[in-house]
Amino acid sequence: MDDKEEVKKLLLLATMAGRVMLKAGAETYRAEDTIVRICKSRKDIKYVDAYVVPTGIFISLEYKGELFSYIKRNKTISIDLNKIDMVNEFSRAFVNSKMSIDDGIKELKKINKTNTYEPKTKSLFGSLGAALFCVLFGGTFLDFISSFIVSLTVLTFINKISKLELTFFINNLFGSILASGLSYITVIIGLGQNLDKVIIGSIMCLVPGVAITNAIRDTMSGEFLSGLSRGMEAVFSAIAIALGVGIILNFYAKGVF
């Protein structure tokens, strides 16, 4: 490391790596470990500390007796295991080589822009997986078809409104209302046979499985704040889904439809 500008670029690179992982759904301890390894890979860098929570990244390091720090806010979290793997591979290559910091930043920007699957592909296979839950819970073949169509519509709807950058609670609430309403329509027209089975299958695409898994893993790793944060995200997602289904079923029970 020749000058302070290089240190600032290194901080930026490490933050980018951590943020890409965090946005892709990685556990916070994994992002922290990647950031520390990247910073420590260059000469004269001492006492690196990284603190990552689902909503932000905090890094500080010492370079020739002078302290540098960087804070980056994070507002969105999605699921992309391929990006997490790509950043892992990048960090190993960066640490074990003499790759320049500028080249590293360019590589991370490429990874951040990578789209493994098209939204249509995600919606299609997400719907198929959700519909199979309908069969798992005792649904018939017609229920499977109904659940697949409803799930596909819901996921397409979620992809559209996600561009508005609404909160996850609103997305799940609207998604579950749409899923329950469409499930009822499929039963009314005779396509679906069991309303409960169709609704269960249709809302499976909204269930926060990764948030629950990461909450448990972060807690077991001693990251209690991150574990609690992810756990609350999962709880409120479940509340939004239950609320949306409850609204439709309440109208159904009162004979509004």
Side-chain angles (χ1 to χ4, degrees):
M1 301 291 291
D2 296 328
D3 53 40
K4 295 178 182 178
E5 289 301 318
E6 288 292 298
V7 178
K8 292 177 182 176
K9 287 183 181 179
L10 181 66
L11 268 177
L12 177 63
L13 183 148
T15 306
M16 285 178 65
R19 191 159 183 257
V20 171
M21 296 184 79
L22 195 61
K23 288 178 68 177
E27 306 92 331
T28 55
Y29 71 84
R30 190 186 302 277
E32 288 177 354
D33 183 64
T34 300
I35 290 169
V36 171
R37 287 178 185 275
I38 287 175
C39 290
K40 283 187 174 179
S41 67
R42 294 302 184 259
K43 284 177 63 178
D44 300 322
I45 299 294
K46 296 180 180 178
Y47 309 117
V48 179
D49 268 320
Y51 182 63
V52 177
V53 291
T55 53
I57 297 174
F58 309 81
I59 309 174
S60 68
L61 58 83
E62 183 180 327
Y63 171 71
K64 293 182 178 179
E66 189 172 351
L67 287 174
F68 293 81
S69 62
Y70 197 90
I71 300 172
K72 190 68 177 179
R73 186 85 162 80
N74 182 52
K75 293 184 177 180
T76 58
I77 292 179
S78 58
I79 306 301
D80 194 333
L81 300 182
N82 185 53
K83 275 188 182 178
I84 298 173
D85 180 61
M86 291 173 74
V87 176
N88 275 331
E89 292 295 328
F90 163 78
S91 67
R92 292 190 188 98
F94 184 82
V95 169
N96 297 318
S97 69
K98 295 182 179 179
M99 183 189 301
S100 71
I101 296 174
D102 288 332
D103 289 341
I105 291 174
K106 290 178 183 176
E107 187 65 25
L108 279 175
K109 286 181 178 178
K110 286 182 186 176
I111 294 173
N112 191 38
K113 292 179 180 178
T114 301
N115 285 322
T116 310
Y117 302 109
E118 293 294 324
K120 291 180 180 177
T121 306
K122 290 182 179 178
S123 298
L124 181 65
F125 286 95
S127 305
L128 181 61
L132 288 173
F133 274 100
C134 174
V135 178
L136 184 66
F137 285 101
T140 63
F141 179 71
L142 288 177
D143 293 334
F144 169 82
I145 298 295
S146 302
S147 183
F148 176 78
I149 294 172
V150 174
S151 300
L152 186 61
T153 306
V154 170
L155 287 175
T156 303
F157 172 75
I158 294 292
N159 285 333
K160 294 290 183 185
I161 66 171
S162 64
K163 295 175 183 176
L164 302 176
E165 298 185 354
L166 303 172
T167 67
F168 70 94
F169 187 90
I170 299 297
N171 286 348
N172 285 332
L173 178 62
F174 287 163
S176 59
I177 289 174
L178 183 62
S180 304
L182 291 179
S183 297
Y184 179 67
I185 292 173
T186 61
V187 173
I188 290 296
I189 63 177
L191 180 59
Q193 294 178 319
N194 302 288
L195 179 60
D196 56 339
K197 306 296 188 302
V198 178
I199 290 178
I200 289 173
S202 302
I203 63 174
M204 275 297 168
C205 57
L206 303 173
V207 172
V210 175
I212 296 171
T213 304
N214 281 352
I216 295 172
R217 294 195 64 176
D218 281 338
T219 303
M220 291 174 68
S221 301
E223 301 291 343
F224 299 113
L225 184 59
S226 297
L228 181 63
S229 176
R230 288 277 171 83
M232 290 304 294
E233 178 189 345
V235 168
F236 275 90
S237 294
I239 290 174
I241 294 169
L243 185 61
V245 174
I247 290 172
I248 297 299
L249 290 183
N250 186 48
F251 287 142
Y252 170 70
K254 291 180 178 178
V256 176
F257 299 128

